[in-house]
Amino acid sequence: GTQVTPKVLEKPGKLKGIARAGVGVDNINVPEATKKGIIVMNKPGGNTLSAAEHTFALMIALSRGIVPACTSLKNGAWDRKKYMGNQLNHKVLGIIGLGRIGRAVAKMASGFDMKVLGYDPISVPKDAEALGIEVTDDLEKIYREADYITLHVPKNEQTLNMISAKQLKMMKKGARIVNCARGGIINEDDLYNALEAGIIAGAALDVFPKEPPENTRFKNIDNCIVTPHLGASTEEAQIEVAVEAAQILTDAIKGGPIKNAVNAP
Ligand code: NAD
């Protein structure tokens, strides 16, 4: 939520460094900081497990209709037929982005005996096979074959709207998709249209192009569950990332090694 805009950086005074307690630096105007000679550092890692667990929580919630079933019972219904679910066991999970969180999700998926297909055009993890990931360089194979698709990529020019109407149409009718990465990687309007038209079975969004979201069409769609950017919101992760961010700042201030600078060049 904290935005380090060009205005904030206009008169930086003695400011030498900005540390982001997490991975995404999209709330910091990095080019402006770079112009002013300010180091921008991130500290990924501390919230990896929290984000992976949230992804899994959303996947399970989708597979069992937990959210609409809960709302329905609280509203006085007892509708067991409507909320017939699906098992995760032996389903195909497509993971797009095999970095820290993508790999942690793969590890959890092995406990559910899911078949994991992974795609990452930049860095394929050395331990992919040990994690049970079948790596593919054909992204469309994931769209065509996966029962569950989860995104763990950064938001950039290549990934913005990477899942739009065309990709959604390639998916199985029963496919369910989770975005715990960044808003805008899935085109929201195309997603809602696909959910309404039954092109895919469900979606869970933790992130939105604008937060809080302006587009609230999901209110009308039972098979879309939403959470307010809670991926890293656990007590454990918040302490870990705060300590790690403080550490990289103090290291840099004391003239020690500058770690995780995203604008070092
Ligand atoms: P990471 O840098 O470890 O991994 C990202 C991976 O995506 C890298 O392996 C990279 O090679 C890959 N990648 C880049 N472009 C790609 C593309 N076009 N197609 C496929 N793969 C591509 O990052 P991470 O720590 O795993 O975080 C993943 C995402 O989750 C980030 O967007 C981050 O901001 C987000 N995140 C969200 C929350 C939350 O609260 N919901 C919490 C933590 C992180």
Side-chain angles (χ1 to χ4, degrees):
T2 307
Q3 299 296 320
V4 185
T5 59
K7 190 161 188 292
V8 172
L9 296 168
E10 207 173 45
K11 290 180 185 156
K14 290 190 205 163
L15 184 62
K16 298 256 186 306
I18 302 168
R20 161 80 171 94
V23 61
V25 290
D26 41 346
N27 59 331
I28 301 166
N29 193 298
V30 179
E32 202 55 36
T34 308
K35 264 194 237 158
K36 298 268 160 56
I38 298 163
I39 312 155
V40 178
M41 293 168 280
N42 66 348
K43 193 61 192 126
N47 57 27
T48 297
L49 282 178
S50 278
E53 286 186 6
H54 195 63
T55 302
F56 238 86
L58 292 174
M59 233 159 70
I60 295 174
L62 277 177
S63 72
R64 304 306 291 266
I66 304 279
V67 177
C70 171
T71 309
S72 146
L73 190 142
K74 284 185 175 176
N75 287 331
W78 182 258
D79 204 343
R80 298 182 64 222
K81 254 191 200 153
K82 189 172 173 191
Y83 299 110
M84 177 76 74
N86 292 101
Q87 293 184 176
L88 295 185
N89 185 271
H90 291 161
K91 296 293 188 306
V92 178
L93 169 64
I95 303 181
I96 303 176
L98 297 172
R100 279 167 288 259
I101 301 172
R103 291 205 315 275
V105 169
K107 201 170 164 190
M108 290 173 193
S110 69
F112 283 79
D113 273 335
M114 297 183 88
K115 180 187 167 188
V116 179
L117 275 178
Y119 171 82
D120 193 316
I122 298 160
S123 134
V124 171
K126 288 189 191 79
D127 55 354
E129 206 182 313
L131 288 169
I133 307 172
E134 180 190 324
V135 178
T136 175
D137 53 12
D138 178 8
L139 184 53
E140 291 189 5
K141 181 179 161 81
I142 292 190
Y143 298 144
R144 285 193 309 270
E145 295 181 13
D147 300 292
Y148 292 85
I149 294 176
T150 182
L151 299 158
H152 301 289
V153 296
K155 184 174 180 172
N156 56 36
E157 275 174 22
Q158 281 76 44
T159 60
L160 190 70
N161 291 316
M162 81 184 283
I163 296 194
S164 301
K166 182 178 166 215
Q167 291 74 21
L168 289 158
K169 277 197 195 110
M170 289 180 206
M171 293 176 194
K172 288 182 178 176
K173 213 170 148 58
R176 295 179 171 94
I177 187 161
V178 178
N179 185 7
C180 260
R182 280 292 181 267
I185 295 171
I186 306 180
N187 181 292
E188 270 189 3
D189 278 329
D190 290 357
L191 176 69
Y192 298 138
N193 292 339
L195 289 168
E196 272 173 339
I199 289 170
I200 62 165
L205 305 174
D206 184 47
V207 286
F208 304 87
K210 191 145 195 275
E211 296 178 357
E214 281 174 342
N215 184 343
T216 53
R217 278 176 70 190
F218 50 75
K219 275 190 194 159
N220 313 318
I221 315 175
D222 220 18
N223 53 353
C224 180
I225 58 179
V226 287
T227 49
H229 205 141
L230 295 181
S233 295
T234 59
E235 289 175 13
E236 295 84 350
Q238 288 308 301
I239 290 171
E240 201 158 323
V241 291
V243 170
E244 287 176 340
Q247 191 65 55
I248 54 173
L249 263 188
T250 49
D251 284 351
I253 290 167
K254 285 180 185 163
I258 294 169
K259 294 180 199 137
N260 301 79
V262 299
N263 59 352

